[in-house]
Amino acid sequence: MKNRWLIENGTFITMDPQQPVVEGWLAVENDRIAGLGTGQAPDEERKLGAELVDGRGKLYLPGLINTHGHAAMSLLRGLADDLRLQDWLENHMWPMEAKFTGDDVYWGTSIAAAEMILSGTTTFLDMYDHMDRVAEVVEQSGLRAVLTRGVIGLCPPDVQTAKLNDAIGFAKSWHGQAGGRIRVMMSPHAPYTCPPDYIERIVAAARELGLPLHTHMSETAAEVAQNVKDYGVRPVEHLDRLGLFSGPSLVAHAVHLTDEEIALLAERGVAVSHNPVSNLKLASGVARVPELLKAGVTVSLGTDSAASNNNLDLFEEIRLAALLHKGVTGDPTAVPAPEALRMGTVYGAKSLGLEGETGVLQPGLKADLISVRTNKPHFVPATDYVSHLVYAASGADVADVWVDGKQLLRERQLLTLDAERIRFEAQRAFDRLRA
Ligand SMILES: N[C@@H](CCSC[C@H]1O[C@@H](n2cnc3c(=O)[nH]cnc32)[C@H](O)[C@@H]1O)C(=O)O
Ligand SMILES: [Zn+2]
């Protein structure tokens, strides 16, 4: 039987420049948007026997896209706050993560998945290990994901090889799985945790598998200085020389960039995942987002993990992306609201190689959408809903979520995940790790 449903009397923020706001209807057939139009749905649509959804009092928009994170680290939320990146990583995160079992990753990722669905994210990128357990959560939750086994190369050669083989094996087993909802990338964790020859091997493997590359880059000033000391060049030139940018790639953070580096990223078509909350919390700095956008770089948004955020609400990243760059540049026109919303949707899709699949409400694209309830004081007056979504809304306003035409959240009830069980198991996993 075909999966058919039809939203009537809705307000659709499409992110499609041809028709940005549609007051009307949206039809879904199986996993895709089959039609979208103003006013009443045509009789042919209604005759198809679709399940009807009353869209009154709700705004519909493409599901949000989180382009950088480490879901399982939700288990470490609030464990080590108010520290600098290197101290936080080396003395707090890595010792705890060394104890993570596959089950810990499963429950940590499950709690993250529940949080993401409840705050309107439909696609997320996850860089971690025990990735088969992350993929399991993606299968069960119904989310769309780009998964990547991040590798840290500060280890003996045989361990490096084992990690790379794990990443290759994961890619071979999971790329295109979960009904096509899982895509895979290859990830050297960062230029400061992977020796150059190891990065080259990871790049070669990515090329052979035809997969994009992802990495952390130029997150802190200290990282850039260390890179210059160790390799004689800044991280962008370093990674460029190692071939990382000679195919599709997405870098997280990119906080400390020169004009020349911005030009090079634009020229190579490197996408950037901007993580404003994480960068503020770890005092890493503020990325030069207005300049990146002006240069034509695709800039999307990521939460990073709940251990440096400390939530996974992408509405916060959208709002902060719109506010932060005004504050630091003294220019109130920097990153206007519609651009911030594009960063959280359509540019997210582009960053992940999912352009033309998701990130926009348009017939033919995947039915990945969310609704936001507007019968609340902070959505009055009913004027510019893009402004309200960016400057006034939060993830708690999300009512419904669909991915691939399948409903994951209905009136804030999770349909695919057992929230109570997950909370219990995630807490138990944390208690055991801390013991
Ligand atoms: N455990 C794997 C690497 C996992 S990749 C994910 C890693 O990214 C780390 N991480 C999380 N947030 C950040 C960040 O903001 N910058 C750099 N690394 C981070 C996280 O602690 C985790 O170790 C190995 O040994 O090869
Ligand atoms: Zn990260």
Side-chain angles (χ1 to χ4, degrees):
M1 239 209 11
K2 279 195 168 156
N3 170 36
R4 282 188 206 279
W5 47 277
L6 177 64
I7 302 170
E8 296 184 294
N9 305 308
T11 300
F12 300 90
I13 308 293
T14 67
M15 306 315 288
D16 175 358
Q18 301 302 318
Q19 46 171 4
V21 183
V22 174
E23 302 276 356
W25 59 276
L26 178 143
V28 171
E29 187 179 305
N30 296 333
D31 57 335
R32 295 195 182 261
I33 298 171
L36 172 68
T38 50
Q40 293 303 311
D43 280 345
E44 311 88 79
E45 287 293 341
R46 306 178 116 263
K47 277 191 204 130
L48 289 169
E51 183 194 334
L52 298 180
V53 178
D54 182 6
R56 277 174 298 183
K58 283 176 177 170
L59 279 179
Y60 293 86
L61 63 150
L64 305 181
I65 299 181
N66 187 344
T67 62
H68 181 72
H70 316 274
M73 292 178 80
S74 287
L75 289 188
L76 306 180
R77 186 191 333 256
L79 181 75
D81 292 327
D82 311 329
L83 297 166
R84 249 177 222 296
L85 176 73
Q86 289 309 333
D87 180 15
W88 175 78
L89 272 180
E90 292 170 23
N91 303 319
H92 300 271
M93 296 300 115
W94 290 347
M96 285 297 277
E97 290 179 309
K99 298 197 258 175
F100 274 34
T101 62
D103 281 348
D104 294 327
V105 169
Y106 176 81
W107 292 114
T109 305
S110 295
I111 198 87
E115 184 183 355
M116 287 191 278
I117 295 170
L118 279 159
S119 52
T121 290
T122 52
T123 300
F124 72 106
L125 178 142
D126 197 56
M127 181 213 275
Y128 217 61
D129 56 18
H130 298 283
M131 291 308 292
D132 47 339
R133 305 304 304 278
V134 177
E136 219 180 292
V137 176
V138 174
E139 274 194 312
Q140 292 166 355
S141 65
L143 283 163
R144 189 181 302 289
V146 172
L147 303 181
T148 174
R149 198 297 192 198
V151 291
I152 292 179
L154 306 171
C155 47
D158 57 321
V159 182
Q160 283 185 354
T161 299
K163 287 185 183 186
L164 179 54
N165 287 339
D166 184 38
I168 292 168
F170 174 73
K172 287 183 175 163
S173 328
W174 284 98
H175 186 60
Q177 293 303 303
R181 285 183 285 110
I182 293 178
R183 303 270 184 104
V184 176
M185 289 191 184
M186 297 292 280
S187 291
H189 165 267
Y192 59 90
T193 54
C194 292
D197 63 315
Y198 193 41
I199 293 180
E200 281 174 333
R201 287 171 64 200
I202 299 164
V203 170
R207 298 286 174 264
E208 210 173 300
L209 294 161
L211 299 177
L213 283 146
H214 181 53
T215 196
H216 293 101
M217 187 193 75
S218 302
E219 184 173 359
T220 65
E223 170 195 335
V224 176
Q226 190 65 44
N227 208 95
V228 171
K229 200 162 155 245
D230 291 345
Y231 307 118
V233 288
R234 296 167 59 90
V236 174
E237 193 179 338
H238 180 62
L239 294 177
D240 191 44
R241 285 185 188 176
L242 297 174
L244 202 121
F245 302 145
S246 63
S249 57
L250 167 67
V251 296
H253 305 299
V255 173
H256 299 275
L257 298 177
T258 63
D259 292 346
E260 293 71 31
E261 287 175 310
I262 290 175
L264 190 91
L265 294 176
E267 197 183 310
R268 298 280 190 271
V270 178
V272 168
S273 177
H274 176 41
N275 296 190
V277 174
S278 175
N279 295 157
L280 286 172
K281 184 160 187 277
L282 297 166
S284 300
V286 176
R288 298 175 62 191
V289 168
E291 288 98 330
L292 283 163
L293 289 167
K294 193 161 166 238
V297 174
T298 300
V299 184
S300 53
L301 295 170
T303 52
D304 220 348
S305 82
S308 66
N309 191 300
N310 289 3
N311 66 39
L312 304 178
D313 181 354
L314 209 74
F315 278 95
E316 276 188 12
E317 308 297 326
I318 291 171
R319 184 176 185 192
L320 207 54
L323 294 175
L324 182 58
H325 306 289
K326 295 171 172 60
V328 296
T329 60
D331 174 6
T333 69
V335 193
E339 187 75 341
L341 197 56
R342 284 191 284 269
M343 289 168 72
T345 53
V346 55
Y347 298 166
K350 201 169 168 200
S351 298
L352 299 181
L354 297 171
E355 199 181 15
E357 283 282 287
T358 186
V360 182
L361 299 184
Q362 203 178 60
L365 269 66
K366 293 286 194 179
D368 292 1
L369 62 154
I370 64 175
S371 79
V372 165
R373 200 171 256 302
T374 53
N375 62 347
K376 299 181 179 182
H378 62 280
F379 283 102
V380 176
T383 47
D384 184 344
Y385 277 133
V386 169
S387 169
H388 295 353
L389 285 170
V390 172
Y391 291 121
S394 79
D397 296 318
V398 172
D400 308 293
V401 172
W402 293 266
V403 173
D404 259 0
K406 182 181 168 195
Q407 192 155 18
L408 312 187
L409 189 76
R410 179 183 294 135
E411 298 294 348
R412 296 202 66 68
Q413 291 305 309
L414 290 164
L415 302 181
T416 53
L417 297 174
D418 181 346
E420 202 152 326
R421 165 108 203 267
I422 292 169
R423 272 202 308 274
F424 174 82
E425 295 287 358
Q427 181 65 47
R428 198 159 74 158
F430 175 75
D431 291 342
R432 201 186 50 75
L433 288 165
R434 251 266 273 249

